[in-house]
């Protein structure tokens, strides 16, 4: 069974291991550590007391940016990315957010599909945003707005 709960700085070692396993260009421990504080929102998914995925976001007033959603590679394809995204959207909505943003690699069709199914849409492109093994890759900028009548 998957358990969701907010992240704390004590989770940094497990987050770093997941980050390093998931990405060719992972975030550093210091960058992950900088995402704890009043303006940040982080949630983790645990299975049998082991962190299997997490998200990090910032928020200000009625806007939030999802900065990172990461799953252990062996835990992908189980719907847990959706579970983490739903948790993020619910928690940020409870904080008063009505507008959400994110960047996603142009090559990451799986993540794009997840975000589109959650109401995000493409609003722009950041050229050569992400480093790759062979150079750089574009990021698609995606946004989502809560219906004002909701």
């Amino acid at each position: 069974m998957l358990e969701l709960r907010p992240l704390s700085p004590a989770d940094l070692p497990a987050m770093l291991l997941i980050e390093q396993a998931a990405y060719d260009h992972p975030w550093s421990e210091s960058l992950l550590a900088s995402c704890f504080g009043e303006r940040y929102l982080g949630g983790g998914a645990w299975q049998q007391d082991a962190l299997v995925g997490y998200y990090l976001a910032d928020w200000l007033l009625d806007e939030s940016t999802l900065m990172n959603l990461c799953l252990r590679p062996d835990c992908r394809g189980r719907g847990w990315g959706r579970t983490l995204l739903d948790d993020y959207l619910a928690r940020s909505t409870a904080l008063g957010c009505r507008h959400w943003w994110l960047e996603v690699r142009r090559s990451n069709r799986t993540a794009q599909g997840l975000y589109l199914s959650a109401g995000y849409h493409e609003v722009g492109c950041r050229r050569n945003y992400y480093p790759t093994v062979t150079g750089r890759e574009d990021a698609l900028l995606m946004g989502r707005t809560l219906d004002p009548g909701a």
Side-chain angles (χ1 to χ4, degrees), residues 73-103:
D74 64 321
C75 293
R76 293 179 182 159
R78 301 178 187 185
W80 294 351
R82 161 69 68 191
T83 301
L84 283 165
L85 181 61
D86 289 348
D87 186 67
Y88 158 64
L89 292 171
R91 288 182 62 206
S92 57
T93 298
L95 292 169
C97 291
R98 295 288 189 250
H99 307 278
W100 294 267
W101 308 99
L102 60 83
E103 286 104 8

Side-chain angles (χ1 to χ4, degrees), residues 7-84:
L7 293 169
S8 78
D11 299 316
L12 278 170
M15 292 168 64
L16 186 60
L17 287 174
I18 294 170
E19 187 76 15
Q20 291 171 339
Y23 299 123
D24 290 329
H25 293 85
W27 284 21
S28 66
E29 184 174 7
S30 62
L31 183 55
L32 289 169
S34 73
C35 295
F36 289 92
E38 222 174 87
R39 64 174 273 217
Y40 294 99
L41 186 62
W46 280 260
Q47 186 182 47
Q48 299 172 352
D49 293 324
L51 185 66
V52 296
Y54 62 89
Y55 62 83
L56 295 168
D58 70 356
W59 65 278
L60 180 64
L61 302 174
D62 67 346
E63 293 191 14
S64 180
T65 300
L66 180 62
M67 301 181 305
N68 196 342
L69 192 154
C70 188
L71 281 170
R72 258 182 19 203
D74 64 321
C75 293
R76 293 179 182 159
R78 301 178 187 185
W80 294 351
R82 161 69 68 191
T83 301
L84 283 165

Side-chain angles (χ1 to χ4, degrees), residues 134-147:
T134 59
R136 304 211 50 96
E137 177 179 5
D138 293 348
L140 299 180
L141 178 60
M142 300 183 82
R144 176 183 189 271
T145 299
L146 188 65
D147 181 352

